[in-house]
Amino acid sequence: MSVSKSSPSRHVTERANKKQHSKSQSKDSGRPPGPINIDSRRLLLFCGGPILALFVFYVNSSNFQLFTTGPSPRSSFALCTPEGNNIYTVDADNSRTQCVLVHKARIVKTGSLDQVQLHWDTSVVLHSIKSFTHLPVLWTKPGSIVVPGLSDSHAHILEYGASQQLPLEGTQSINDTVKRVRDYILANPDIQTDKSKFILGGGWDHTVWPTSRWPSAADLDADPIITGRPVVLQSKDCHALWVSSAALETSLPLPLEVEGGVIVRDQYGYPTGMLLDNAQELLKQPELTEEDLMKRFKITVEDAVKNGLTSIHDAGLDPTSLKFFKRQAEIGSLPIRIYGMTFFDENGEYWGNITDPIIASGDERLTARSVKIFADGALRTGGAALYEPYADNPDTNGFMRLDEDVLFKYIPLFLRDGWQVNVHAIGDRANGVVIDAFEASLAGANVTALRPRLEHAQLMTKEDMTRLGKLGVIASVQPTHAISDMLYAEQRLGPKRVKNLYAFRTLIDSGARITFGSDFPVESMNPLSGFYAAVSRLSPSGYSPHGPDGWFPDQRLTRQEALRGMTIDPAYASFTESILGSLEPGKRADFVILSQDIMKVPVNKILDTKVLATVIDGEAIYGDL
């Protein structure tokens, strides 16, 4: 099997609110009091004659801590927008409101300030906390909006943390990448003095390099600082490893062939240090310690909450991840919500009937009730399985990472035993085969109860998009992939076939339900990047090969569709729509405060939006309310 020779194409102010809630109160109570200048150490007094409670908020640039001498506003408070209905609930009617009332980590009422105040007086106070009768009201900054907690439906949590240790995103050539590795070694004395330490990095993208060849171990070994050190560098799409000779030697001998993968070899048949798809599993690396895993996790969580993410679906690239999340949930230390996909090993024993799914563990922070199956490789590295050969490399049409019979055997078994089945499929052939398997497995089944997912669903025939919609299979898509791949996609697929790549509008019009992810670290973690890409089909600088209206502008989504794609749709895709995804009574108080209205600002201003606060269970885990 050959591999592509081309460059296979990545706010409280709480205003000091001393309102007296009396019968003489003006009906204009929905309007906030005039602004009061308060510095970053904010003092809030909620008074009704004597002081009932004193809340002191200390805010800094990276976190939000609360100290209280009375009931915490994290336990009970109303969050309101000063300019009217600037809270997007993302309910079935896509309604907007002025306030949400939070009590004991859940939303208990939405509406105007008068409405939530009445609910507080007649429901919460009478039945709950008679000693604390005045409702704490927190006002957002002018111009800001509130949306449900943002979710990423497809990401790799620990892999992101690893990639940030030695990030290779943005390198412009092989030599530039090698130099970054060298500089990393020189900047870390513990690594520099120990040549046996594995050096791990990720994010290189050879599709933007001036050469069409794959990088090799020789490129790394040629540097006198790097030579003799085990170096493992993950590609941007996580479908290729570039390794040094010292890293490769630990895994020799390698088999001649790998089903569903490629060991790139030189003209003499020797491995060059490039392993694609399933071949990556052949590389032996030191087992990660709990300290290693925690370091990676903390890096990811810190960046996630800064970006407004409250829930992440971990797409099961590494089986180690889910085991780590389980351990953290057992000790009650998951700071965000995780929906974990269990890695499928076609060579291992079937476990669907002997393993219990994890549902809402750790105070509804961890759920793992799905299995992740890889059908093919990636378009960028030339491993996506196509019906016809690649336009820029007619010698190959990619490859399936497993035998088609495996899909027809195991998908119905997992569905029968109550597992959601999520299948990675990129190419049109892979998507067609997976839809065939879903079609056979779902005959007579309650699809709403099973909710199978097609992860990526990048390139599909129009007939298969129609079948997908009729079947009710969820399309888990990554809008930022579209604006990364648009730079090389037509060269790779040709002018006709490329029209069916990232065809989000066609998918929705075919009846398919979609959900948004980023596939980080492959793309930016920022969910607003996905929102922007979906509604614009433009690069962050405003470019597209098809002009200022965007790349295939007929495939753009509305802002409402895009907002749902990163809130209620991911909740549905993870069976959590009864507690997450929208701001409705009974649901968890997960929400994000954004600096401006992404539903109204000009498209080219969307990415200027800042996250002012990220809130989970009514507690601000990042920013300033």
Side-chain angles (χ1 to χ4, degrees), residues 26-86:
S26 166
K27 292 206 173 184
D28 192 25
S29 62
R31 182 183 303 275
I36 297 175
N37 292 323
I38 305 176
D39 66 67
S40 63
R41 295 177 181 267
R42 303 180 189 272
L43 185 64
L44 286 75
L45 303 178
F46 297 104
C47 309
I51 295 175
L52 295 177
L54 174 65
F55 304 106
V56 180
F57 287 76
Y58 170 71
V59 182
N60 61 33
S61 62
S62 63
N63 57 29
F64 177 72
Q65 295 178 328
L66 174 66
F67 306 89
T68 178
T69 59
S72 164
R74 294 177 299 177
S75 175
S76 302
F77 63 92
L79 179 71
C80 302
T81 55
E83 296 159 311
N85 298 332
N86 268 5

Short mmCIF file of all heavy atoms in Angstrom, two decimals, residues 26-86:
data_model
loop_
_atom_site.label_atom_id
_atom_site.label_comp_id
_atom_site.label_asym_id
_atom_site.label_seq_id
_atom_site.Cartn_x
_atom_site.Cartn_y
_atom_site.Cartn_z
N SER A 26 -40.56 50.19 42.22
CA SER A 26 -40.98 50.56 40.87
C SER A 26 -41.07 49.36 39.97
O SER A 26 -40.32 48.41 40.11
CB SER A 26 -39.96 51.55 40.28
OG SER A 26 -40.15 51.70 38.91
N LYS A 27 -41.99 49.40 39.02
CA LYS A 27 -42.11 48.31 38.06
C LYS A 27 -40.94 48.30 37.11
O LYS A 27 -40.80 47.40 36.32
CB LYS A 27 -43.41 48.43 37.29
CG LYS A 27 -44.61 48.20 38.17
CD LYS A 27 -45.80 47.70 37.40
CE LYS A 27 -46.91 47.32 38.34
NZ LYS A 27 -48.05 46.74 37.66
N ASP A 28 -40.13 49.34 37.17
CA ASP A 28 -38.94 49.36 36.34
C ASP A 28 -37.77 48.72 37.08
O ASP A 28 -36.63 49.04 36.86
CB ASP A 28 -38.60 50.82 35.99
CG ASP A 28 -37.56 50.89 34.88
OD1 ASP A 28 -37.47 49.93 34.10
OD2 ASP A 28 -36.84 51.90 34.82
N SER A 29 -38.10 47.78 37.99
CA SER A 29 -37.06 47.14 38.78
C SER A 29 -36.12 46.32 37.94
O SER A 29 -35.09 45.89 38.40
CB SER A 29 -37.68 46.26 39.87
OG SER A 29 -38.45 45.24 39.26
N GLY A 30 -36.51 46.06 36.69
CA GLY A 30 -35.62 45.33 35.82
C GLY A 30 -34.42 46.14 35.40
O GLY A 30 -33.48 45.60 34.84
N ARG A 31 -34.43 47.45 35.64
CA ARG A 31 -33.30 48.28 35.27
C ARG A 31 -32.29 48.30 36.42
O ARG A 31 -32.63 48.50 37.56
CB ARG A 31 -33.78 49.69 34.98
CG ARG A 31 -32.67 50.64 34.52
CD ARG A 31 -33.21 52.03 34.31
NE ARG A 31 -34.29 52.03 33.36
CZ ARG A 31 -34.12 52.09 32.04
NH1 ARG A 31 -32.90 52.11 31.55
NH2 ARG A 31 -35.17 52.10 31.23
N PRO A 32 -31.02 48.08 36.13
CA PRO A 32 -30.02 48.08 37.20
C PRO A 32 -29.77 49.46 37.72
O PRO A 32 -30.02 50.45 37.04
CB PRO A 32 -28.77 47.53 36.50
CG PRO A 32 -28.97 47.95 35.07
CD PRO A 32 -30.45 47.84 34.82
N PRO A 33 -29.28 49.59 38.96
CA PRO A 33 -28.91 50.89 39.48
C PRO A 33 -27.75 51.46 38.71
O PRO A 33 -27.10 50.76 37.96
CB PRO A 33 -28.53 50.58 40.93
CG PRO A 33 -28.08 49.16 40.89
CD PRO A 33 -28.97 48.50 39.87
N GLY A 34 -27.49 52.75 38.91
CA GLY A 34 -26.40 53.40 38.21
C GLY A 34 -25.07 52.76 38.55
O GLY A 34 -24.91 52.13 39.60
N PRO A 35 -24.08 52.91 37.67
CA PRO A 35 -22.79 52.26 37.89
C PRO A 35 -22.04 52.82 39.08
O PRO A 35 -22.13 54.01 39.39
CB PRO A 35 -22.04 52.55 36.59
CG PRO A 35 -22.69 53.78 36.05
CD PRO A 35 -24.13 53.69 36.46
N ILE A 36 -21.35 51.96 39.77
CA ILE A 36 -20.52 52.35 40.90
C ILE A 36 -19.12 51.86 40.62
O ILE A 36 -18.92 50.70 40.23
CB ILE A 36 -21.04 51.72 42.20
CG1 ILE A 36 -22.44 52.25 42.52
CG2 ILE A 36 -20.08 51.99 43.35
CD1 ILE A 36 -23.07 51.61 43.72
N ASN A 37 -18.14 52.71 40.77
CA ASN A 37 -16.78 52.30 40.50
C ASN A 37 -16.26 51.44 41.65
O ASN A 37 -16.22 51.87 42.79
CB ASN A 37 -15.87 53.53 40.34
CG ASN A 37 -16.22 54.30 39.08
OD1 ASN A 37 -16.56 53.68 38.07
ND2 ASN A 37 -16.13 55.62 39.15
N ILE A 38 -15.89 50.24 41.32
CA ILE A 38 -15.37 49.31 42.33
C ILE A 38 -14.09 48.71 41.76
O ILE A 38 -14.05 48.33 40.60
CB ILE A 38 -16.38 48.19 42.61
CG1 ILE A 38 -17.73 48.80 43.01
CG2 ILE A 38 -15.88 47.26 43.70
CD1 ILE A 38 -18.81 47.76 43.23
N ASP A 39 -13.06 48.62 42.56
CA ASP A 39 -11.84 48.04 42.04
C ASP A 39 -11.92 46.53 42.06
O ASP A 39 -12.96 45.95 42.33
CB ASP A 39 -10.62 48.56 42.83
CG ASP A 39 -10.63 48.09 44.26
OD1 ASP A 39 -10.49 46.94 44.45
OD2 ASP A 39 -10.76 48.84 45.19
N SER A 40 -10.81 45.88 41.74
CA SER A 40 -10.86 44.43 41.56
C SER A 40 -11.15 43.66 42.83
O SER A 40 -11.52 42.50 42.79
CB SER A 40 -9.55 43.92 40.96
OG SER A 40 -8.49 44.18 41.85
N ARG A 41 -10.98 44.30 44.01
CA ARG A 41 -11.46 43.65 45.23
C ARG A 41 -12.85 44.22 45.48
O ARG A 41 -13.00 45.31 46.00
CB ARG A 41 -10.54 43.93 46.41
CG ARG A 41 -9.16 43.32 46.25
CD ARG A 41 -8.27 43.68 47.42
NE ARG A 41 -6.97 43.11 47.24
CZ ARG A 41 -6.60 41.92 47.72
NH1 ARG A 41 -7.45 41.19 48.38
NH2 ARG A 41 -5.38 41.47 47.52
N ARG A 42 -13.87 43.48 45.13
CA ARG A 42 -15.24 44.00 45.14
C ARG A 42 -15.93 43.65 46.45
O ARG A 42 -15.89 42.52 46.90
CB ARG A 42 -16.01 43.42 43.96
CG ARG A 42 -15.33 43.72 42.64
CD ARG A 42 -16.15 43.13 41.50
NE ARG A 42 -15.44 43.22 40.26
CZ ARG A 42 -15.51 44.27 39.45
NH1 ARG A 42 -16.26 45.29 39.76
NH2 ARG A 42 -14.82 44.29 38.34
N LEU A 43 -16.60 44.69 47.06
CA LEU A 43 -17.33 44.49 48.31
C LEU A 43 -18.81 44.58 48.04
O LEU A 43 -19.28 45.57 47.53
CB LEU A 43 -16.90 45.55 49.33
CG LEU A 43 -17.47 45.42 50.74
CD1 LEU A 43 -16.97 44.13 51.37
CD2 LEU A 43 -17.08 46.62 51.58
N LEU A 44 -19.55 43.53 48.36
CA LEU A 44 -20.97 43.49 48.08
C LEU A 44 -21.74 43.42 49.38
O LEU A 44 -21.49 42.57 50.22
CB LEU A 44 -21.32 42.24 47.25
CG LEU A 44 -20.91 42.31 45.79
CD1 LEU A 44 -19.42 42.12 45.65
CD2 LEU A 44 -21.64 41.21 45.06
N LEU A 45 -22.70 44.34 49.54
CA LEU A 45 -23.55 44.34 50.72
C LEU A 45 -24.98 44.11 50.30
O LEU A 45 -25.52 44.85 49.49
CB LEU A 45 -23.45 45.67 51.47
CG LEU A 45 -22.04 46.10 51.92
CD1 LEU A 45 -22.13 47.45 52.60
CD2 LEU A 45 -21.46 45.06 52.85
N PHE A 46 -25.61 43.07 50.82
CA PHE A 46 -27.02 42.83 50.57
C PHE A 46 -27.74 43.16 51.87
O PHE A 46 -27.61 42.45 52.86
CB PHE A 46 -27.26 41.37 50.18
CG PHE A 46 -26.58 41.02 48.91
CD1 PHE A 46 -25.42 40.27 48.92
CD2 PHE A 46 -27.08 41.46 47.71
CE1 PHE A 46 -24.78 39.96 47.75
CE2 PHE A 46 -26.45 41.14 46.53
CZ PHE A 46 -25.29 40.40 46.55
N CYS A 47 -28.46 44.31 51.86
CA CYS A 47 -28.99 44.87 53.10
C CYS A 47 -30.49 44.92 53.11
O CYS A 47 -31.14 45.11 52.11
CB CYS A 47 -28.46 46.28 53.31
SG CYS A 47 -26.67 46.41 53.16
N GLY A 48 -31.06 44.81 54.26
CA GLY A 48 -32.49 44.99 54.48
C GLY A 48 -32.60 45.39 55.92
O GLY A 48 -33.00 44.60 56.77
N GLY A 49 -32.26 46.66 56.24
CA GLY A 49 -32.10 47.05 57.62
C GLY A 49 -30.71 46.61 58.02
O GLY A 49 -29.73 47.10 57.50
N PRO A 50 -30.58 45.63 58.93
CA PRO A 50 -29.25 45.14 59.29
C PRO A 50 -28.64 44.34 58.15
O PRO A 50 -29.34 43.82 57.31
CB PRO A 50 -29.54 44.23 60.50
CG PRO A 50 -30.94 43.79 60.31
CD PRO A 50 -31.65 44.95 59.68
N ILE A 51 -27.33 44.26 58.14
CA ILE A 51 -26.66 43.47 57.11
C ILE A 51 -26.93 42.00 57.38
O ILE A 51 -26.65 41.48 58.45
CB ILE A 51 -25.15 43.73 57.13
CG1 ILE A 51 -24.88 45.19 56.73
CG2 ILE A 51 -24.42 42.78 56.20
CD1 ILE A 51 -23.41 45.57 56.83
N LEU A 52 -27.44 41.35 56.38
CA LEU A 52 -27.74 39.93 56.51
C LEU A 52 -26.56 39.07 56.12
O LEU A 52 -26.36 37.99 56.63
CB LEU A 52 -28.96 39.57 55.65
CG LEU A 52 -30.28 40.22 56.07
CD1 LEU A 52 -31.36 39.84 55.08
CD2 LEU A 52 -30.66 39.77 57.47
N ALA A 53 -25.82 39.56 55.15
CA ALA A 53 -24.68 38.76 54.71
C ALA A 53 -23.65 39.67 54.06
O ALA A 53 -23.98 40.70 53.51
CB ALA A 53 -25.12 37.70 53.71
N LEU A 54 -22.42 39.29 54.17
CA LEU A 54 -21.34 40.03 53.55
C LEU A 54 -20.58 39.09 52.64
O LEU A 54 -20.12 38.04 53.05
CB LEU A 54 -20.40 40.55 54.64
CG LEU A 54 -19.11 41.25 54.16
CD1 LEU A 54 -19.46 42.53 53.41
CD2 LEU A 54 -18.21 41.54 55.34
N PHE A 55 -20.50 39.51 51.39
CA PHE A 55 -19.77 38.69 50.42
C PHE A 55 -18.56 39.46 49.94
O PHE A 55 -18.68 40.62 49.56
CB PHE A 55 -20.64 38.37 49.20
CG PHE A 55 -21.92 37.70 49.55
CD1 PHE A 55 -23.12 38.40 49.50
CD2 PHE A 55 -21.93 36.39 49.95
CE1 PHE A 55 -24.30 37.78 49.82
CE2 PHE A 55 -23.11 35.77 50.27
CZ PHE A 55 -24.30 36.46 50.22
N VAL A 56 -17.43 38.83 49.95
CA VAL A 56 -16.23 39.46 49.42
C VAL A 56 -15.73 38.64 48.24
O VAL A 56 -15.45 37.46 48.38
CB VAL A 56 -15.12 39.52 50.51
CG1 VAL A 56 -13.88 40.19 49.94
CG2 VAL A 56 -15.63 40.30 51.71
N PHE A 57 -15.66 39.28 47.10
CA PHE A 57 -15.16 38.62 45.90
C PHE A 57 -13.74 39.10 45.65
O PHE A 57 -13.50 40.31 45.55
CB PHE A 57 -16.01 38.98 44.68
CG PHE A 57 -17.35 38.33 44.67
CD1 PHE A 57 -18.37 38.79 45.47
CD2 PHE A 57 -17.59 37.25 43.84
CE1 PHE A 57 -19.60 38.20 45.44
CE2 PHE A 57 -18.82 36.67 43.80
CZ PHE A 57 -19.83 37.13 44.60
N TYR A 58 -12.85 38.18 45.53
CA TYR A 58 -11.51 38.54 45.11
C TYR A 58 -11.29 38.00 43.71
O TYR A 58 -11.46 36.82 43.46
CB TYR A 58 -10.45 37.96 46.05
CG TYR A 58 -9.07 38.12 45.49
CD1 TYR A 58 -8.46 39.37 45.44
CD2 TYR A 58 -8.38 37.03 44.98
CE1 TYR A 58 -7.21 39.51 44.92
CE2 TYR A 58 -7.11 37.17 44.45
CZ TYR A 58 -6.52 38.42 44.42
OH TYR A 58 -5.28 38.58 43.89
N VAL A 59 -10.95 38.89 42.80
CA VAL A 59 -10.82 38.49 41.41
C VAL A 59 -9.41 38.77 40.93
O VAL A 59 -8.87 39.84 41.18
CB VAL A 59 -11.83 39.26 40.53
CG1 VAL A 59 -11.72 38.82 39.10
CG2 VAL A 59 -13.23 39.08 41.06
N ASN A 60 -8.84 37.81 40.26
CA ASN A 60 -7.60 38.11 39.57
C ASN A 60 -7.72 37.63 38.14
O ASN A 60 -8.78 37.18 37.72
CB ASN A 60 -6.38 37.49 40.28
CG ASN A 60 -6.46 35.98 40.35
OD1 ASN A 60 -6.98 35.35 39.45
ND2 ASN A 60 -5.91 35.41 41.43
N SER A 61 -6.65 37.71 37.42
CA SER A 61 -6.75 37.46 35.98
C SER A 61 -6.97 36.01 35.65
O SER A 61 -7.37 35.69 34.55
CB SER A 61 -5.47 37.94 35.30
OG SER A 61 -4.35 37.22 35.78
N SER A 62 -6.71 35.10 36.57
CA SER A 62 -6.79 33.69 36.19
C SER A 62 -7.85 32.89 36.91
O SER A 62 -8.18 31.80 36.50
CB SER A 62 -5.43 33.01 36.45
OG SER A 62 -5.13 33.04 37.82
N ASN A 63 -8.39 33.40 38.02
CA ASN A 63 -9.43 32.61 38.68
C ASN A 63 -10.39 33.51 39.45
O ASN A 63 -10.26 34.71 39.47
CB ASN A 63 -8.81 31.55 39.61
CG ASN A 63 -7.90 32.17 40.67
OD1 ASN A 63 -8.09 33.30 41.07
ND2 ASN A 63 -6.90 31.40 41.09
N PHE A 64 -11.34 32.86 40.11
CA PHE A 64 -12.40 33.59 40.80
C PHE A 64 -12.66 32.86 42.08
O PHE A 64 -13.01 31.69 42.07
CB PHE A 64 -13.63 33.59 39.90
CG PHE A 64 -14.84 34.23 40.51
CD1 PHE A 64 -14.90 35.59 40.66
CD2 PHE A 64 -15.93 33.47 40.89
CE1 PHE A 64 -16.03 36.19 41.18
CE2 PHE A 64 -17.06 34.06 41.41
CZ PHE A 64 -17.11 35.42 41.56
N GLN A 65 -12.41 33.53 43.24
CA GLN A 65 -12.58 32.86 44.52
C GLN A 65 -13.60 33.60 45.34
O GLN A 65 -13.68 34.82 45.31
CB GLN A 65 -11.25 32.80 45.26
CG GLN A 65 -10.21 31.95 44.53
CD GLN A 65 -8.90 31.96 45.28
OE1 GLN A 65 -8.54 32.95 45.91
NE2 GLN A 65 -8.18 30.86 45.20
N LEU A 66 -14.36 32.86 46.12
CA LEU A 66 -15.44 33.45 46.93
C LEU A 66 -15.25 33.08 48.38
O LEU A 66 -15.02 31.94 48.72
CB LEU A 66 -16.78 32.92 46.42
CG LEU A 66 -18.00 33.32 47.23
CD1 LEU A 66 -18.21 34.82 47.13
CD2 LEU A 66 -19.21 32.58 46.74
N PHE A 67 -15.34 34.10 49.26
CA PHE A 67 -15.33 33.87 50.69
C PHE A 67 -16.61 34.46 51.22
O PHE A 67 -17.00 35.55 50.85
CB PHE A 67 -14.12 34.55 51.35
CG PHE A 67 -12.82 34.15 50.71
CD1 PHE A 67 -12.32 34.86 49.63
CD2 PHE A 67 -12.13 33.05 51.18
CE1 PHE A 67 -11.13 34.48 49.03
CE2 PHE A 67 -10.94 32.67 50.58
CZ PHE A 67 -10.43 33.38 49.51
N THR A 68 -17.27 33.79 52.11
CA THR A 68 -18.59 34.24 52.55
C THR A 68 -18.81 34.01 54.03
O THR A 68 -18.29 33.07 54.60
CB THR A 68 -19.69 33.50 51.76
OG1 THR A 68 -20.96 33.92 52.25
CG2 THR A 68 -19.60 32.00 51.92
N THR A 69 -19.60 34.93 54.63
CA THR A 69 -19.98 34.77 56.03
C THR A 69 -21.45 34.41 56.12
O THR A 69 -22.00 34.33 57.20
CB THR A 69 -19.73 36.07 56.81
OG1 THR A 69 -20.49 37.13 56.21
CG2 THR A 69 -18.26 36.45 56.79
N GLY A 70 -22.09 34.23 55.01
CA GLY A 70 -23.51 33.85 54.97
C GLY A 70 -23.73 32.96 53.78
O GLY A 70 -22.78 32.49 53.17
N PRO A 71 -24.98 32.73 53.41
CA PRO A 71 -25.25 31.88 52.26
C PRO A 71 -24.55 32.42 51.02
O PRO A 71 -24.58 33.61 50.74
CB PRO A 71 -26.78 31.96 52.12
CG PRO A 71 -27.25 32.31 53.50
CD PRO A 71 -26.21 33.20 54.06
N SER A 72 -23.89 31.55 50.29
CA SER A 72 -23.08 31.96 49.15
C SER A 72 -23.92 32.30 47.95
O SER A 72 -24.86 31.60 47.63
CB SER A 72 -22.14 30.80 48.78
OG SER A 72 -21.62 31.00 47.50
N PRO A 73 -23.58 33.41 47.23
CA PRO A 73 -24.31 33.72 46.00
C PRO A 73 -24.07 32.66 44.94
O PRO A 73 -24.79 32.60 43.97
CB PRO A 73 -23.74 35.08 45.59
CG PRO A 73 -22.42 35.18 46.26
CD PRO A 73 -22.56 34.42 47.53
N ARG A 74 -23.08 31.82 45.15
CA ARG A 74 -22.94 30.70 44.25
C ARG A 74 -24.04 29.69 44.49
O ARG A 74 -24.37 28.90 43.63
CB ARG A 74 -21.57 30.04 44.44
CG ARG A 74 -20.40 30.92 44.02
CD ARG A 74 -19.10 30.23 44.30
NE ARG A 74 -18.95 29.97 45.72
CZ ARG A 74 -17.91 29.32 46.24
NH1 ARG A 74 -16.96 28.86 45.46
NH2 ARG A 74 -17.84 29.11 47.54
N SER A 75 -24.59 29.70 45.71
CA SER A 75 -25.68 28.80 46.04
C SER A 75 -27.01 29.37 45.61
O SER A 75 -27.87 28.66 45.11
CB SER A 75 -25.69 28.52 47.55
OG SER A 75 -26.81 27.74 47.91
N SER A 76 -27.20 30.70 45.80
CA SER A 76 -28.45 31.35 45.43
C SER A 76 -28.18 32.76 44.94
O SER A 76 -27.62 33.57 45.66
CB SER A 76 -29.41 31.41 46.63
OG SER A 76 -29.68 30.13 47.16
N PHE A 77 -28.57 33.03 43.72
CA PHE A 77 -28.42 34.38 43.17
C PHE A 77 -29.19 34.48 41.87
O PHE A 77 -29.53 33.47 41.24
CB PHE A 77 -26.95 34.74 42.92
CG PHE A 77 -26.26 33.88 41.90
CD1 PHE A 77 -26.22 34.26 40.55
CD2 PHE A 77 -25.64 32.69 42.27
CE1 PHE A 77 -25.57 33.47 39.61
CE2 PHE A 77 -25.00 31.89 41.34
CZ PHE A 77 -24.97 32.28 40.00
N ALA A 78 -29.47 35.71 41.48
CA ALA A 78 -30.02 35.97 40.16
C ALA A 78 -28.95 36.66 39.33
O ALA A 78 -28.31 37.60 39.80
CB ALA A 78 -31.26 36.84 40.26
N LEU A 79 -28.75 36.15 38.14
CA LEU A 79 -27.84 36.80 37.21
C LEU A 79 -28.68 37.50 36.15
O LEU A 79 -29.53 36.86 35.51
CB LEU A 79 -26.93 35.77 36.54
CG LEU A 79 -25.94 36.35 35.51
CD1 LEU A 79 -24.85 37.15 36.20
CD2 LEU A 79 -25.33 35.24 34.66
N CYS A 80 -28.46 38.81 35.98
CA CYS A 80 -29.29 39.60 35.07
C CYS A 80 -28.43 40.43 34.13
O CYS A 80 -27.30 40.80 34.47
CB CYS A 80 -30.23 40.52 35.84
SG CYS A 80 -31.33 39.68 37.00
N THR A 81 -28.98 40.72 32.98
CA THR A 81 -28.31 41.58 32.02
C THR A 81 -28.95 42.97 32.06
O THR A 81 -30.17 43.09 32.02
CB THR A 81 -28.39 41.00 30.61
OG1 THR A 81 -29.75 40.75 30.27
CG2 THR A 81 -27.63 39.68 30.54
N PRO A 82 -28.16 44.03 32.12
CA PRO A 82 -28.69 45.38 32.29
C PRO A 82 -29.43 45.93 31.08
O PRO A 82 -30.24 46.84 31.21
CB PRO A 82 -27.45 46.22 32.60
CG PRO A 82 -26.33 45.47 31.95
CD PRO A 82 -26.68 44.02 32.10
N GLU A 83 -29.17 45.38 29.92
CA GLU A 83 -29.74 45.94 28.70
C GLU A 83 -30.94 45.17 28.18
O GLU A 83 -31.28 45.22 27.00
CB GLU A 83 -28.65 46.01 27.63
CG GLU A 83 -27.53 46.96 28.03
CD GLU A 83 -26.23 46.71 27.31
OE1 GLU A 83 -25.81 45.54 27.26
OE2 GLU A 83 -25.64 47.67 26.81
N GLY A 84 -31.56 44.42 29.04
CA GLY A 84 -32.75 43.66 28.62
C GLY A 84 -32.46 42.19 28.48
O GLY A 84 -31.70 41.61 29.24
N ASN A 85 -33.07 41.59 27.47
CA ASN A 85 -33.00 40.13 27.32
C ASN A 85 -31.73 39.69 26.61
O ASN A 85 -31.76 39.23 25.46
CB ASN A 85 -34.24 39.65 26.56
CG ASN A 85 -35.51 39.96 27.30
OD1 ASN A 85 -35.51 40.05 28.54
ND2 ASN A 85 -36.61 40.11 26.58
N ASN A 86 -30.62 39.77 27.28
CA ASN A 86 -29.35 39.38 26.70
C ASN A 86 -28.84 38.03 27.21
O ASN A 86 -27.66 37.74 27.15
CB ASN A 86 -28.29 40.46 26.96
CG ASN A 86 -28.23 41.46 25.82
OD1 ASN A 86 -29.04 41.41 24.90
ND2 ASN A 86 -27.29 42.39 25.88
#
